[in-house]
């Protein structure tokens, strides 16, 4: 049940989520829209890594997911600050 | 140099995070985690001049439970709105007047609003009197403000700033 | 039994992640689009992480709880980035389906306008 049905379906759904977010990243139309799409891509990447970890029964992917969560948050905050102030480090 | 940590709760939280990160409960890891919590709070103390006080820990736990339940309910509602009727949404900006005063309480309230029922906090007024909130589907904006004030702001007020 | 629970958590998580991205595409202005990823995707990934913690805990190599860390981190940071994105959009005066309330139209501008709220965001972390 788990490996037969649930995991492939979950992979397909997350891949579709990637495609939709990527479409928004390309289309825009504004800068905050693109940042939001990037942020969603980060979250989707975490989901994909967690699924891979379960599929391959390997706990190694957890570290990568944690790092992506950290970097994604910092990237989003830095980009938003750039939009708000026109500068990141004051 | 051998001083007790200025923020014992933060030190304990850091130790717990370390244990989660190393994914073990070995005595050595516990000692290392406590050492890290102690050292980090000592070195970072000057960035946190004030220590927030939690006056009602049990109420805080209950509040966290309420918020977690609300997160699941709110997500089901938002998911239904996105899938079923994206064209019939009634988005609205509402102003929530704030009774909270402290930084921590206001930021916890803003985070809670972002995670729960179809709302995102957008901007805090410079004088901290209002919080601008965007609602995804607001049939009754005044009722929404009343709900936020009753369900989230009132407990936070009791937890962080009792009169 | 465990298998069924795991399958349910994984499917629900993947479905919520998908719906979050679907909202990103289907909704019509930035402020409503913001709701999909911040809520649905966060809950979806949270559910996947709970499934992962259960999966690795039941394989007989001891309890695995470090997924909780990522979940906590996501649930703390997602609202902060949503708030910042929303503030940035207001700053750029993006088109909104909902009218802004009175008094918000004439926003004070200048570099120090948002100092107060940024301090409170820093405290949240």
């Amino acid at each position: 049940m788990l490996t037969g049905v649930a995991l492939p379906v979950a992979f397909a759904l997350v891949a579709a989520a990637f495609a939709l977010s990527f479409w928004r990243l390309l289309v825009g139309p504004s800068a905050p829209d693109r940042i939001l799409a990037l942020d969603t891509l980060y979250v989707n990447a975490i989901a994909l890594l967690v699924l891979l970890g379960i599929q391959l029964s390997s706990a190694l992917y957890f570290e990568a997911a944690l790092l992506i969560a950290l970097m994604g948050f910092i990237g989003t905050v830095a980009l938003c600050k750039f939009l708000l102030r026109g500068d990141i480090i004051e | 140099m051998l001083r007790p940590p200025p923020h014992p709760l933060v030190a304990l939280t850091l130790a717990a995070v370390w244990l989660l990160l190393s994914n073990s409960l070995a005595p050595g890891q516990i000692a290392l985690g406590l050492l890290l919590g102690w050292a980090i709070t000592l070195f970072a103390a000057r960035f946190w001049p004030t220590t927030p006080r939690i006056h009602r820990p049990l109420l805080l736990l209950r509040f966290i439970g309420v918020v977690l339940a609300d997160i699941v309910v709110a997500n089901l509602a938002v998911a239904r709105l996105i899938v079923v009727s994206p064209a019939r949404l009634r988005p609205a900006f509402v102003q929530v007047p704030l009774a909270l005063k402290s930084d921590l309480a206001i930021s916890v309230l803003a985070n809670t609003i972002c995670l729960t029922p179809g709302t995102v906090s957008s901007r805090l007024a410079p004088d901290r009197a209002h919080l601008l909130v965007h609602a995804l589907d607001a049939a009754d904006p005044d009722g929404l403000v009343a709900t936020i004030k009753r369900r989230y702001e009132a407990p936070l007020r009791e937890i962080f700033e009792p009169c | 039994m465990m298998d069924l629970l795991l399958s349910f958590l994984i499917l629900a998580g993947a479905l919520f992640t998908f719906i979050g991205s679907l909202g990103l595409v289907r909704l019509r202005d930035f402020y409503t689009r913001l709701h999909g990823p911040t809520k649905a995707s966060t809950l979806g990934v949270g559910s996947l992480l709970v499934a992962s913690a259960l999966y690795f805990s039941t394989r007989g190599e001891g309890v695995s709880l470090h997924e909780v860390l990522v979940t906590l981190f996501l649930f703390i940071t997602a609202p902060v980035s949503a708030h910042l994105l929303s503030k940035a959009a207001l700053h750029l005066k993006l088109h909104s389906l909902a009218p802004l309330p009175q008094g918000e139209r004439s926003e004070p501008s200048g570099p120090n306008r948002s100092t107060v709220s940024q301090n409170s965001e820093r405290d949240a972390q």
Side-chain angles (χ1 to χ4, degrees):
Chain A
M1 174 68 190
L2 177 65
T3 47
V5 181
L7 275 177
V9 173
F11 271 116
L13 282 171
V14 174
F18 261 99
L20 292 175
S21 314
F22 200 68
W23 185 81
R24 178 55 70 194
L25 180 64
L26 289 180
V27 169
S30 64
D33 273 307
R34 295 203 162 95
I35 300 176
L36 181 62
L38 268 181
D39 194 55
T40 316
L41 279 174
Y42 283 127
V43 177
N44 290 347
I46 297 170
L48 194 65
L49 279 171
V50 171
L51 281 176
L52 260 182
I54 295 177
Q55 165 101 30
L56 302 175
S57 292
S58 155
L60 284 177
Y61 291 93
F62 159 78
E63 269 81 12
L66 186 61
L67 279 179
I68 290 183
L70 289 169
M71 295 299 157
F73 174 63
I74 293 170
T76 309
V77 169
L79 285 169
C80 284
K81 255 199 110 178
F82 179 72
L83 285 186
L84 278 169
R85 307 279 191 100
D87 202 355
I88 296 173
I89 302 167
E90 289 155 26
Chain B
M1 199 57 202
L2 275 175
R3 276 175 287 159
H7 304 272
L9 265 180
V10 180
L12 281 179
T13 313
L14 282 173
V17 167
W18 174 259
L19 288 177
L20 282 175
L21 196 60
S22 59
N23 213 7
S24 83
L25 271 178
Q29 297 286 4
I30 295 179
L32 189 54
L34 287 174
L35 184 70
L36 278 174
W38 175 74
I40 291 174
T41 41
L42 211 55
F43 281 119
R46 71 170 77 167
F47 296 115
W48 306 316
T50 56
T51 311
R53 297 279 307 271
I54 296 173
H55 297 271
R56 305 268 310 270
L58 285 179
L59 191 63
L60 181 64
L61 285 181
R62 187 168 161 272
F63 178 73
I64 292 174
V66 167
V67 169
L68 282 180
D70 279 358
I71 287 173
V72 176
V73 174
N75 272 289
L76 289 172
V78 169
R80 192 178 54 80
L81 285 173
I82 289 175
V83 173
V84 178
S85 54
R88 274 184 287 135
L89 293 179
R90 290 155 293 181
F93 278 106
V94 293
Q95 293 268 30
V96 179
L98 284 179
L100 298 170
K101 291 283 175 287
S102 71
D103 282 354
L104 181 71
I106 292 178
S107 43
V108 171
L109 179 68
N111 278 18
T112 312
I113 288 174
C114 277
L115 279 174
T116 46
T119 47
V120 169
S121 66
S122 294
R123 187 161 64 201
L124 183 65
D127 56 355
R128 302 185 181 205
H130 294 276
L131 189 64
L132 183 66
V133 170
H134 182 265
L136 181 58
D137 187 40
D140 175 18
D142 294 333
L144 181 71
V145 173
T147 310
I148 289 175
K149 285 194 81 73
R150 191 185 64 241
R151 204 172 166 81
Y152 305 119
E153 193 184 13
L156 280 177
R157 218 173 156 198
E158 279 190 50
I159 293 166
F160 290 111
E161 18 186 271
C163 301
Chain C
M1 187 59 212
M2 201 48 164
D3 215 29
L4 270 181
L5 179 64
L6 274 179
S7 305
F8 172 75
L9 277 175
I10 287 179
L11 281 179
L15 195 65
F16 271 116
T17 315
F18 173 71
I19 288 175
S21 297
L22 188 70
L24 198 58
V25 169
R26 281 188 87 179
L27 298 176
R28 286 178 305 163
D29 78 331
F30 175 76
Y31 301 96
T32 52
R33 268 179 224 141
L34 194 55
H35 289 269
T38 53
K39 291 198 203 54
S41 294
T42 308
L43 185 76
V45 174
S47 158
L48 282 177
L49 284 161
V50 170
S52 166
L54 272 177
Y55 176 77
F56 285 109
S57 296
T58 51
R59 280 169 72 245
E61 294 163 18
V63 184
S64 166
L65 278 181
H66 57 189
E67 283 87 353
V68 177
L69 209 56
V70 186
T71 320
L72 270 182
F73 186 79
L74 272 181
F75 272 86
I76 292 173
T77 57
V80 178
S81 31
H83 178 88
L84 269 176
L85 275 168
S86 168
K87 209 161 87 174
L90 280 174
H91 183 71
L92 297 176
K93 300 192 173 62
L94 286 194
H95 166 72
S96 160
L97 288 177
L100 276 171
Q102 287 299 315
E104 279 292 330
R105 243 176 266 268
S106 58
E107 65 176 88
S109 56
N112 289 324
R113 182 178 57 78
S114 48
T115 327
V116 172
S117 50
Q118 272 182 358
N119 282 337
S120 56
E121 271 145 25
R122 209 174 298 140
D123 289 342
Q125 293 162 42

